[in-house]
Amino acid sequence: MPIINASPTRRLVFQYLVPVHVEVEDGLVTRVTVIDETPVRDPSLIEGDATYLAEAVTASDDGQAWPSWSFGY
């Protein structure tokens, strides 16, 4: 018999600005380093329940490994 999780998944998307280190050689970008150790400041809600934002920010900044990186849209 399958176990059914009674609580719905809380999904939230937010964004915040982080510093980047950009190296350019002869007019070409050769390397971009995202400084990901920057604490989350002034997050903007993109999608989801705003009441969950503070908890989501705490979870994103608790030292766990980030599962993937995506660049651009």
Side-chain angles (χ1 to χ4, degrees):
M1 179 174 185
I3 298 172
I4 298 173
N5 186 352
S7 62
T9 301
R10 293 181 299 166
R11 181 177 187 276
L12 184 121
V13 178
F14 69 91
Q15 67 183 21
Y16 67 101
L17 299 177
V18 296
V20 296
H21 177 95
V22 180
E23 296 177 30
V24 179
E25 295 178 13
D26 297 326
L28 296 174
V29 175
T30 58
R31 182 180 180 137
V32 176
T33 304
V34 176
I35 304 170
D36 63 346
E37 293 150 358
T38 303
V40 177
R41 289 196 177 105
D42 303 320
S44 298
L45 179 67
I46 303 299
E47 176 184 319
D49 182 356
T51 59
Y52 179 49
L53 182 58
E55 187 177 343
V57 167
T58 299
S60 73
D61 204 23
D62 71 356
Q64 64 182 301
W66 289 13
S68 66
W69 290 92
S70 177
F71 296 96
Y73 286 99

